[in-house]
Amino acid sequence: MKTVLIKTTLTAALALSASAAATTYPLTITDDLGRKVTLKAEPKRIISVLPSSSETLCAIGACDKLVGVDDYSDYPQQVTKLPKVGGLYNPNIEAIVALKPDLVLISQYGKLAEPLAQAGITVMAVNPETYDEVFSKTLVLGRLVNREAQAKALVLKMRQDIARIEILTKNVVKKPTAYYEIDPTPYSIGPNSFMGVLLTKAGARNIIPASMGDFPKVDPEFIVKANPQLILGVDAKTVAARPGWNTTAAVKTSRVLDLPAGLGTILSRPGPRLPEALRGLAKLVHPGLFK
């Protein structure tokens, strides 16, 4: 009798929770282009032109709503089977329209909003850029697609997984100064970007000051003068060929590390694999913690 009562209570609680979490439509949200966008009903046919949005939708149980993705969405494996609609700066608008979406998730960059709106398609810019926005935009996506409870659960899980890694790296005595290269131009990451926050959480000290911005192009002489103890994102041979870089502590101690296959992609996506990205980065910075 007691078991039946517990099951009944639990079922009622879950039903109440699901009901409370259901999105009410029509739903009006101000998107990342500053536009007020209204969804008249729960979207059933969605196109995502950002890999991070594609991954987030799948992580909150809305993968089956996707009918098309951008050329770079490749995770989870399910999205690789969907029609491709181009990239951020070379979208195939005809292909997007032909798929008859009731919602297209775009970046605030590129120029997709106007032509698609003119075609009568609902367009929403959801574009996380900071560490905190990775979580807040996940909740926005959950609300858009009527998966609020799943989005909240995902955010909680991500924060818990990140906290477990931070326990290992937070109290490390020797945190190396680090330069992280995302492009050989060279471009790097500022401490306030989501990638910069991950680098700090991984137990490194970023040589790039916040005043340079989130993803600055850096003068190579600045990097030589900063003398990082760790260089990430580029191989040792390339670094050794650059004028003056062989004088850095990172080169002298063989602490120049290219990223393992796949990690660079995960690190560049402000989405649900943030904890996985942090763990991979922390292993490079402090390999001894993960033996």
Side-chain angles (χ1 to χ4, degrees):
M1 181 65 183
K2 185 177 180 181
T3 302
V4 172
L5 179 61
I6 291 174
K7 287 183 177 179
T8 302
T9 304
L10 181 59
T11 301
L14 289 173
L16 180 61
S17 174
S19 175
T23 301
T24 300
Y25 300 92
L27 171 68
T28 299
I29 286 181
T30 301
D31 76 353
D32 288 341
L33 288 171
R35 307 171 311 133
K36 287 188 179 297
V37 180
T38 298
L39 293 180
K40 296 178 180 177
E42 180 180 337
K44 305 291 186 184
R45 297 180 60 81
I46 301 174
I47 291 176
S48 165
V49 297
L50 272 179
S52 59
S53 292
S54 304
E55 291 191 21
T56 300
L57 287 185
C58 290
I60 61 176
C63 213
D64 60 343
K65 291 176 178 287
L66 285 170
V67 295
V69 293
D70 67 291
D71 289 348
Y72 302 100
S73 287
D74 58 3
Y75 186 90
Q77 202 270 338
Q78 189 174 343
V79 305
T80 63
K81 300 174 183 176
L82 295 171
K84 302 293 186 182
V85 297
L88 180 61
Y89 297 106
N90 61 336
N92 187 334
I93 294 177
E94 289 185 357
I96 293 174
V97 173
L99 289 169
K100 299 179 179 179
D102 50 19
L103 174 63
V104 179
L105 296 170
I106 65 171
S107 164
Q108 61 181 298
Y109 305 106
K111 298 180 179 178
L112 265 176
E114 187 174 339
L116 291 180
Q118 288 178 350
I121 296 173
T122 302
V123 181
M124 182 81 70
V126 182
N127 198 158
E129 292 195 327
T130 68
Y131 177 78
D132 288 337
E133 283 179 346
V134 175
F135 304 101
S136 64
K137 303 300 181 184
T138 294
L139 296 177
V140 169
L141 288 173
R143 194 174 177 207
L144 287 175
V145 302
N146 196 16
R147 297 290 187 276
E148 288 189 74
Q150 293 88 337
K152 289 178 181 176
L154 174 61
V155 166
L156 178 61
K157 178 71 164 53
M158 289 168 66
R159 290 193 183 281
Q160 288 174 336
D161 289 346
I162 287 171
R164 290 191 185 95
I165 300 166
E166 280 192 284
I167 289 173
L168 297 175
T169 60
K170 195 172 184 178
N171 296 318
V172 170
V173 176
K174 294 183 179 179
K175 296 184 177 181
T177 56
Y179 164 68
Y180 185 111
E181 185 166 294
I182 57 174
D183 182 280
T185 307
Y187 276 92
S188 188
I189 55 175
N192 292 329
S193 66
F194 78 93
M195 296 175 73
V197 172
L198 291 181
L199 184 61
T200 300
K201 288 182 179 295
R205 291 176 289 152
N206 195 344
I207 65 166
I208 304 299
S211 58
M212 282 189 176
D214 287 347
F215 297 99
K217 183 178 181 180
V218 186
D219 183 342
E221 289 188 8
F222 168 85
I223 299 165
V224 173
K225 289 180 181 177
N227 191 24
Q229 297 166 321
L230 176 65
I231 294 177
L232 297 168
V234 58
D235 64 83
K237 183 179 179 181
T238 300
V239 167
R242 294 173 176 173
W245 288 51
N246 60 351
T247 65
T248 62
V251 173
K252 290 179 179 177
T253 59
S254 301
R255 290 283 282 157
V256 179
L257 305 172
D258 204 356
L259 301 179
L263 181 57
T265 299
I266 300 173
L267 277 163
S268 68
R269 294 183 181 178
R273 291 192 287 171
L274 213 60
E276 185 179 343
L278 174 58
R279 176 172 286 277
L281 194 56
K283 283 183 177 179
L284 293 178
V285 178
H286 295 289
L289 294 177
F290 296 89
K291 288 182 178 177

